[in-house]
Amino acid sequence: MKKSIRMTVTMLSLLAATTLASGANAQDAEGIVVYNAQHEGLGNAWVEGFTKETGIKVTVRKGSDTQFANQLIQEGDASPADVFLTENSPAMALVDGAGLFAPVDKETLDQVPAEYRPADGRWTGIAARTTVFAYDKTKLTEDKLPKSMLDLADPAWKGRWGASPAGADFQAIVGALLQLKGEEATSAWLKAMKENSAPYKGNSVAMKAVNAGEVEGAIIYHYYWFGDQAKTGENSKNVALHYFKNQDPGAFVSVSGGGVLKSSKHQKEAQALLKWITGKSGQAVLKDGDSFEYAIAGDSNSKLVPLKDLDAPKVEASTLDSKKVVELMTAAGLL
Ligand SMILES: [Fe+2]
């Protein structure tokens, strides 16, 4: 009798120890959780490089800027996410506005030029991309190109251009337009866009349409063209890029963001990932990899028009108003 009680107690404590250990292992195996709304290839290249250098494991979940921003707000403190990475800043502004980010470590902020991060220090730029007019070079010569993105509202451009209005990339551009020119001008431009442009699902699809001669041009981000050129070039062989420059709304440079969730139970590891991405190794992934996005700390891929030559308009990335953008685009019949 005594013996069997002792055995039961031993077995129970063994069981408890095993349960505890497997709980700890499950957490170790998952490491930190990243909600990655950046392009999958770039997100994975960053995470793999980080794990290789630091030994910190990372689980990546895939989604889009808007989807993850809304999810994080809904999950609140119960979110399993430790880090959020985006393609554009409006999604960061949404999550920051909900008070969900922890302050970014000073060492990380110090690596990033002030123009690529918000003054509040609760998230940071991690990469950048520029707006371009991807045009059919078999149809348009330089003198026939729009001088400003705003020119595409002219009736002369009816049926001749396209974009991907439902995507976070394009909506960030509209956010910049709104900040630069105000609500009335933006709303008028969007209404003209509805009249003049063809909607495509994604920047790649819009570029393909230009390449196939469906439309003469499309407002997209630069790296879709460079990415295709680096592969077979089959979707961009008739396409060239026009940079508006001149601080035009069409020269908008969008900042991709990274932030650590306040609710993360792995603050140290999560902060380490942001530090790594904005540091030498993470920025080298942008310079040497196949994302063709701009580095914001250090040199970019030498094939790209240098960031400083883009003559981008001054836009405050942390206050791009995605809610107002959706409202205006819906009113214009674009969403
Ligand atoms: Fe994109």
Side-chain angles (χ1 to χ4, degrees):
M1 181 78 180
K2 251 187 179 172
K3 201 178 168 189
S4 75
I5 287 174
R6 202 180 301 136
M7 259 186 68
T8 310
V9 169
T10 315
M11 279 170 70
L12 275 173
S13 52
L14 252 173
L15 194 70
T18 318
T19 313
L20 274 175
S22 69
N25 283 340
Q27 203 173 50
D28 285 352
E30 198 180 48
I32 56 171
V33 173
V34 173
Y35 280 8
N36 179 44
Q38 246 296 353
H39 284 246
E40 202 181 345
L42 176 56
N44 289 345
W46 270 333
V47 159
E48 280 158 25
F50 171 71
T51 301
K52 212 169 149 192
E53 271 184 41
T54 63
I56 300 169
K57 293 196 182 89
V58 180
T59 299
V60 179
R61 305 215 179 147
K62 304 190 282 187
S64 72
D65 282 11
T66 319
Q67 177 202 333
F68 272 144
N70 290 331
Q71 191 177 327
L72 283 165
I73 290 165
Q74 207 163 41
E75 289 169 344
D77 286 346
S79 178
D82 298 293
V83 175
F84 183 31
L85 304 177
T86 66
E87 274 205 81
N88 302 284
S89 62
M92 301 306 291
L94 272 183
V95 175
D96 190 20
L100 297 175
F101 283 136
V104 175
D105 279 359
K106 190 178 174 299
E107 281 182 332
T108 302
L109 296 178
D110 286 349
Q111 297 184 137
V112 180
E115 57 192 301
Y116 299 119
R117 55 182 165 83
D120 74 14
R122 284 195 298 263
W123 60 270
T124 177
I126 53 174
R129 51 271 297 288
T130 185
T131 313
V132 291
F133 187 62
Y135 67 97
D136 184 340
K137 61 185 179 190
T138 70
K139 288 187 184 143
L140 290 174
T141 45
E142 224 157 283
D143 54 312
K144 296 201 175 81
L145 291 169
K147 295 273 172 291
S148 162
M149 185 176 83
L150 301 179
D151 294 351
L152 295 171
D154 194 291
W157 279 97
K158 191 172 167 69
R160 294 172 58 200
W161 67 284
S164 172
D169 286 355
F170 187 78
Q171 289 177 19
I173 299 169
V174 179
L177 177 62
L178 177 62
Q179 196 180 96
L180 291 162
K181 301 287 175 188
E183 190 172 331
E184 208 176 310
T186 302
S187 154
W189 190 81
L190 290 171
K191 279 176 191 147
M193 175 183 172
K194 170 71 181 169
E195 285 300 308
N196 289 355
S197 72
Y200 294 101
K201 212 170 176 254
N203 284 325
S204 307
V205 183
M207 185 178 72
K208 274 187 204 172
V210 175
N211 192 53
E214 273 178 46
V215 282
E216 288 169 55
I219 294 287
I220 61 171
Y221 282 151
H222 75 283
Y223 53 81
Y224 289 93
W225 186 87
F226 285 95
D228 189 68
Q229 290 283 309
K231 285 186 235 155
T232 60
E234 61 182 331
N235 297 317
S236 59
K237 60 179 186 298
N238 299 325
V239 182
L241 298 186
H242 171 51
Y243 297 84
F244 288 103
K245 301 191 174 178
N246 203 26
Q247 291 165 47
D248 191 79
F252 167 58
V253 169
S254 182
V255 175
S256 303
V260 170
L261 278 306
K262 207 161 70 180
S263 57
S264 163
K265 291 181 180 64
H266 309 99
Q267 289 292 325
K268 220 178 89 203
E269 293 82 0
Q271 293 283 354
L273 176 58
L274 277 195
K275 188 179 167 200
W276 189 91
I277 288 175
T278 53
K280 264 207 172 70
S281 308
Q283 295 296 294
V285 169
L286 293 164
K287 181 174 173 280
D288 305 323
D290 56 8
S291 72
F292 294 100
E293 295 194 35
Y294 284 96
I296 41 86
D299 294 336
S300 294
N301 190 307
S302 59
K303 287 195 173 128
L304 305 180
V305 177
L307 258 184
K308 60 172 173 46
D309 295 345
L310 294 173
D311 199 9
K314 277 213 164 18
V315 170
E316 180 53 58
S318 60
T319 56
L320 291 179
D321 188 347
S322 53
K323 279 184 188 151
K324 193 82 203 172
V325 164
V326 168
E327 194 186 303
L328 296 178
M329 288 183 76
T330 306
L334 288 162
L335 297 177

